[in-house]
Amino acid sequence: MTGTSTLRIAWRNLGRNRKRSVLALAAIALGQFIFLAVAALMHGYMDEFHGSITGPMIGHAQVHAPVWLDDRSIDITIDNVTSALDAVRADPSVEHVSARIYAPVLTALTEEGFMSFVVGVDPASESHDDGLLPGLDAASLMGEGRVLAGSGFARRYDIEPGAELALVGQDVDGSIASGLFTVTQVISSPVDIVNNLGIVMTLDDAGELLAMYDQAHEMVIHTRDLDTVGETVARLSAVPALVDLEVLTWREIVPEMVGMFEMVDVMLLVVLGIVFVAAAAGIANTMLMATFERKHEFGMLLSLGCGPSRLARMITVEAVILGLVGVVIGTALGLGLLLITQQTGLDYAALGGASDSYEASYKGLHLSSLVYPRLYASDVLAGMIAVFLTALLSVVWPIMRIARMEPMEAMRL
Amino acid sequence: MQDVLVGASAVTKDFHVGKITVNALRGLDLDIHKGDFLAIVGPSGSGKTTLLNLIGALDTATGGKVEVFGQDLSGMSRRERAELRLRSLGFVFQAYNLVPVLTALENVEFVLELRGEDGGRRATAMSVLEDLGLGELADRRPNEMSGGQQQRVAVARAVAAKPRLVLADEPTANLDSENGESLLKMMRQLRDEHDMTFVFSTHDPLVVAYASRVVTIRDGKIVSDIRKNSGEEAPGEGVEVRRKGTEPPGDGTEVN
Ligand SMILES: Nc1ncnc2c1ncn2[C@@H]1O[C@H](COP(=O)(O)OP(=O)(O)O)[C@@H](O)[C@H]1O
Ligand SMILES: [Mg+2]
C-alpha cells in the first residue's frame, strides 16, 4: 500500500472526524449484532420446534386411514398393520417407521379419577433419536402391564414409579375396555399429549386393552432425507398395501406450522431491514457530511485535473470500509453472544424478567423457555451484504454532487 | 521573439446572477510569453480570478478567444480541459491547496499519481521537496505546517510535474511579508532555473515588486501592462510603463 493509495486515504479520512465515524460504526455494529442475536434466537427456537415436529411428534410423513385426521375417533384404524409396516419399510428412502395407537381413557388412582390418554407404541422402533422414546431402554420398562407416564401428567397427579393405574375406556367395537397397569418410569417428551396426558404402553398392551388386533391409528415415518419427503410420499401412496390409506407429509399434516416457519423468515427479513436502515443512517450521514465538509478539497483536486471518478472512488471506498468494519464488529459481538449462550442456553423467562423458567405448549408441542441460540453463515452473510449495499447506496447522492461540481465554484471562499 | 504560451483576444466573460448579468471581463487582450513572471493586479472584483480561471481552463469565455499552448480552449470538453490542467498546468491557490490527510510528500506524490506517472513517484516527489529546501517538511501533514510552509509545499506540488505554466491566484494573500517573500523567491528561482512561466493574480505590492511584468486590470479591461527590464526585477528598478493602446499592434517583444 503506497502513501497515496485510495484505501489509505479513505482510512485517514475516516479518522478525520473520529467521533462521527465511531458513531456510524456503532450504529452499523449494533444493527448487525441485533440482527444476528434475533436470528440466532429465532433459529434456536424454530430449529428445535422443527426438530420436535419432524422428530417425535409428526415425523417426516404419516400414514392413516383417510378420515383419521378429521375425527381421531378410535375406530378409524389402519388394518393389517404388520404388512403395511413391511410395505413402508421396503421403500429405500425410509429410515424408520413405527405404528401408534391413541385412545382417551379414564384413569383411576386410589379414589381419584381423571382424563388421560393411552399412547400405544412399539418401544423398539421408537427408541431412535427422532422417536417418541429416544435413548430409552423402553423394552425393559414396558409390556405386560408396565407403562410409562408423562412428566406433566405424573406431576399433576402425584404419580410415581410403582403407582398402579386402573384404566377404563371404550374399545374399538364400542364395548367397555379396562385394565390395570403399573407405572415403571416417568418420561419427559416434547410431544404435549404424551407429556401432559400420556400413558405410554406397548402396542400389544394397547391392542389388548382396546381390542385392536393388528391395527393401529397411525404410522410415523422418518425418511433418510427430509428434503425429498414429497417424492417418498408419492411413491408410498402408490404401494398396493397402502392404497386405501392416506400418506401425507408433515407439511400437509400441520400446515399452520409451515406457515409459522415462513412467518419467522419474514420477521427476520424485517429485522434485516432495520439493520439496513441503521447502517444507511450511519453511513449516509457520514458520507453526506464528509462531502459537504470537503467541498473545497474536492474543488481543489478537480481544479488540478483530478477526475470526478477518482473522487467518487475515494468516498465509495470510505463508505465501504465504514460499513464493513462496522459489520465485522457487529458479527464479532454476535458470535461472542452465541459462544457464551450456546452451551448453557438462554432462558427467555429470565430475559423477560421472570425468576423461573417456564414450560408451555403450543399446538401439540411442549415448549421450554430455554433456547439454544443457533446462527447460520447465511445470516452473517445476509447482514454483510445488506450493509455493503447500503454503503454503495449511500454514496450515490454524494457522487452525483461531485460529478456536477464546478471546480472553481467549489473552490470559492 | 518569444514563445507565446497564452493568447487571449477580445475575451469577455459574463456571469448571470439571477436576472443580473455581471460583465466580469469586457474585451480583454493579453499575450503571456514563455518566461514571464507576470502579476495581474487590480482592485477586488476587477476580474483577476476570472481571467486566471479562463487561462487555467477552469472556465470558458463568453466571447473572444483564449488559446493555451496554441490550443483554443473554447472547443474543449470538460474532460479535455481537466486533462490539459493535469498535464500542462500547475496551480497554486490562495487556500485549501493541500489534501489534509496527506503529508507534504504524499501531496506531491498524489499529483504525480494523478498524471499516471508510475515508478519512482515517491523519489521524484522527495527530490522536488529537497530541491526547494522543503525536505524536512516531507512527513508533515498540512495541519502540522505554517501557512507559509503549506504554500511552499503547494508550489512544490504545482511544479513537481514540470508544467510549462504555473498559475497562482493570490498566493501570498494569507502570508506575512517574510513568508510571502520566500515564496516569491522560490518561484522566481524555478522560473530562472527551469524555464517555467508564472502568472499571479494579486493585491500584494511584494508580488508586484518581484514580477517581471505587471498587468493592471480594472472593470474587466487591461488598463496598463508594465514590463520591467529583464534581469532587473528588484523592486522599483528599470521599470518601463506602457499604457494600454499606446503599444504597437502585435507587440510581444521585450522592451529593454
Ligand atoms: N461565479 C460567479 N458568479 C457570479 N459572479 C461572479 C462569479 N465569479 C466572479 N463573479 C463576479 O465577477 C467580477 C470579477 O470577479 P473576480 O474575477 O473574482 O475578481 P477579482 O479576482 O479581481 O477580485 C466580480 O464582480 C464578481 O462578483
Ligand atoms: Mg480573486
Side-chain angles (χ1 to χ4, degrees):
Chain A
M1 195 158 68
T2 70
T4 55
S5 81
T6 304
L7 206 61
R8 179 181 278 210
I9 293 176
W11 182 253
R12 289 189 192 166
N13 272 319
L14 287 172
R16 251 158 109 170
N17 192 330
R18 228 161 265 174
K19 207 153 126 202
R20 188 174 62 207
S21 298
V22 166
L23 220 62
L25 280 181
I28 301 160
L30 192 70
Q32 171 80 345
F33 171 72
I34 289 173
F35 169 63
L36 293 185
V38 171
L41 283 177
M42 291 258 198
H43 284 145
Y45 215 74
M46 294 318 282
D47 286 359
E48 195 182 313
F49 216 56
H50 188 266
S52 297
I53 292 169
T54 57
M57 185 184 168
I58 308 287
H60 297 180
Q62 291 189 349
V63 182
H64 335 90
V67 290
W68 162 259
L69 282 181
D70 304 328
D71 217 349
R72 293 188 188 261
S73 159
I74 186 169
D75 56 345
I76 304 173
T77 57
I78 303 169
D79 300 333
N80 302 317
V81 169
T82 314
S83 60
L85 283 172
D86 286 341
V88 172
R89 221 173 264 127
D91 190 283
S93 64
V94 170
E95 192 166 19
H96 304 287
V97 57
S98 56
R100 293 178 186 170
I101 288 174
Y102 298 103
V105 292
L106 209 60
T107 299
L109 176 74
T110 62
E111 282 116 58
E112 254 185 298
F114 39 79
M115 183 57 203
S116 61
F117 220 87
V118 164
V119 181
V121 299
D122 170 20
S125 53
E126 295 283 3
S127 62
H128 64 88
D129 284 348
D130 286 333
L132 208 54
L133 308 168
L136 208 62
D137 183 15
S140 68
L141 298 167
M142 298 163 71
E144 281 151 24
R146 291 171 308 149
V147 299
L148 310 173
S151 64
F153 174 66
R155 201 177 320 122
R156 196 154 359 115
Y157 300 112
D158 278 334
I159 296 168
E160 286 177 359
E164 293 245 305
L165 305 176
L167 306 188
V168 183
Q170 198 181 34
D171 73 15
V172 75
D173 306 317
S175 318
I176 297 286
S178 69
L180 201 61
F181 297 88
T182 309
V183 175
T184 53
Q185 189 159 329
V186 173
I187 58 161
S188 183
S189 167
V191 179
D192 191 46
I193 201 168
V194 172
N195 218 50
N196 285 317
L197 296 172
I199 297 170
V200 183
M201 61 180 67
T202 60
L203 276 176
D204 286 347
D205 282 0
E208 196 146 333
L209 176 69
L210 303 166
M212 291 174 64
Y213 303 103
D214 203 21
Q215 289 179 318
H217 292 119
E218 130 185 323
M219 295 187 341
V220 175
I221 298 168
H222 288 94
T223 62
R224 294 181 201 284
D225 180 10
L226 186 52
D227 293 338
T228 59
V229 67
E231 294 154 40
T232 308
V233 162
R235 227 171 19 247
L236 289 175
S237 303
V239 170
L242 306 174
V243 282
D244 292 335
L245 301 170
E246 184 175 62
V247 188
L248 299 171
T249 66
W250 74 274
R251 290 172 178 278
E252 293 165 315
I253 297 163
V254 283
E256 69 277 7
M257 300 270 186
V258 176
M260 245 179 68
F261 291 119
E262 281 162 4
M263 209 174 74
V264 166
D265 285 341
V266 171
M267 269 178 63
L268 281 181
L269 221 61
V270 170
V271 177
L272 190 64
I274 296 169
V275 178
F276 206 84
V277 169
I283 303 175
N285 171 60
T286 305
M287 296 330 293
L288 280 181
M289 295 298 288
T291 313
F292 279 121
E293 283 168 5
R294 276 186 252 159
K295 194 180 98 173
H296 290 302
E297 184 184 329
F298 289 162
M300 181 271 290
L301 287 170
L302 291 171
S303 296
L304 296 185
C306 174
S309 61
R310 172 72 195 244
L311 299 182
R313 204 162 73 222
M314 229 150 83
I315 63 163
T316 304
V317 170
E318 238 172 279
V320 169
I321 289 180
L322 197 62
L324 288 187
V325 171
V327 92
V328 163
I329 293 172
T331 302
L333 291 176
L335 292 178
L337 178 78
L338 195 71
L339 220 68
I340 292 167
T341 56
Q342 209 169 26
Q343 297 304 318
T344 55
L346 203 70
D347 202 329
Y348 261 94
L351 283 183
S355 53
D356 278 327
S357 342
Y358 62 85
E359 305 205 326
S361 59
Y362 175 80
K363 287 188 188 288
L365 258 177
H366 175 73
L367 303 172
S368 150
S369 63
L370 200 64
V371 61
Y372 294 86
R374 218 175 212 217
L375 199 56
Y376 295 138
S378 59
D379 294 328
V380 174
L381 208 67
M384 287 186 168
I385 290 172
V387 170
F388 182 72
L389 291 180
T390 310
L392 293 186
L393 267 177
S394 63
V395 292
V396 168
W397 195 80
I399 285 175
M400 274 163 51
R401 253 183 79 87
I402 288 171
R404 280 199 305 262
M405 231 179 222
E406 283 295 336
M408 69 280 169
E409 280 295 313
M411 281 285 283
R412 253 142 94 87
L413 299 175
Chain B
M1 283 295 280
Q2 269 194 324
D3 300 340
V4 176
L5 297 187
V6 176
S9 54
V11 171
T12 61
K13 178 68 184 176
D14 299 339
F15 291 109
H16 301 279
V17 185
K19 285 181 181 162
I20 301 164
T21 300
V22 180
N23 308 115
L25 298 179
R26 312 177 182 197
L28 182 146
D29 302 295
L30 179 68
D31 285 343
I32 298 170
H33 301 143
K34 190 172 170 210
D36 271 354
F37 203 67
L38 168 62
I40 298 169
V41 298
S44 177
S46 56
K48 303 183 295 292
T49 298
T50 304
L51 176 58
L52 223 55
N53 285 345
L54 293 184
I55 297 169
L58 283 162
D59 205 351
T60 46
T62 308
K65 190 155 120 183
V66 180
E67 282 185 347
V68 177
F69 312 132
Q71 292 170 270
D72 187 350
L73 298 187
S74 63
M76 290 169 86
S77 68
R78 257 171 86 111
R79 183 180 281 255
E80 285 169 333
R81 285 189 283 122
E83 196 64 14
L84 174 73
R85 295 198 296 272
L86 189 59
R87 302 273 153 222
S88 316
L89 299 173
F91 290 90
V92 179
F93 305 103
Q94 184 178 337
Y96 302 112
N97 264 301
L98 303 177
V99 180
V101 297
L102 297 180
T103 64
L105 182 64
E106 288 164 352
N107 262 287
V108 177
E109 203 183 336
F110 192 63
V111 284
L112 295 175
E113 191 213 314
L114 285 180
R115 286 170 55 110
E117 289 180 20
D118 41 31
R121 281 197 301 259
R122 174 145 294 207
T124 308
M126 195 64 214
S127 76
V128 169
L129 285 178
E130 276 168 352
D131 286 350
L132 295 173
L134 302 172
E136 76 272 26
L137 299 180
D139 292 327
R140 296 212 204 153
R141 298 224 190 148
N143 62 4
E144 298 162 340
M145 292 187 267
S146 71
Q149 290 171 329
Q150 288 183 43
Q151 286 304 74
R152 285 197 284 278
V153 171
V155 171
R157 184 198 52 195
V159 302
K162 306 264 176 303
R164 296 161 72 187
L165 179 61
V166 178
L167 304 171
D169 193 7
E170 315 233 13
T172 61
N174 297 333
L175 304 182
D176 59 29
S177 56
E178 195 180 324
N179 274 307
E181 191 153 8
S182 86
L183 190 75
L184 284 162
K185 277 186 178 151
M186 193 173 124
M187 291 194 278
R188 207 165 61 182
Q189 193 183 351
L190 280 163
R191 198 262 322 235
D192 294 342
E193 292 174 6
H194 296 282
D195 254 359
M196 288 181 187
T197 304
F198 285 80
V199 179
F200 313 99
S201 86
T202 190
H203 280 107
D204 186 353
L206 200 66
V207 180
V208 177
Y210 272 83
S212 69
R213 182 181 169 196
V214 180
V215 169
T216 308
I217 61 177
R218 180 161 290 141
D219 298 330
K221 282 188 191 138
I222 292 183
V223 292
S224 78
D225 185 346
I226 302 166
R227 198 175 286 278
K228 301 176 186 175
N229 288 334
S230 67
E232 301 213 40
E233 286 152 9
E237 290 174 38
V239 174
E240 189 153 326
V241 179
R242 282 180 304 174
R243 289 288 158 196
K244 194 76 181 145
T246 63
E247 59 193 313
D251 183 293
T253 53
E254 199 85 339
V255 181
N256 44 355

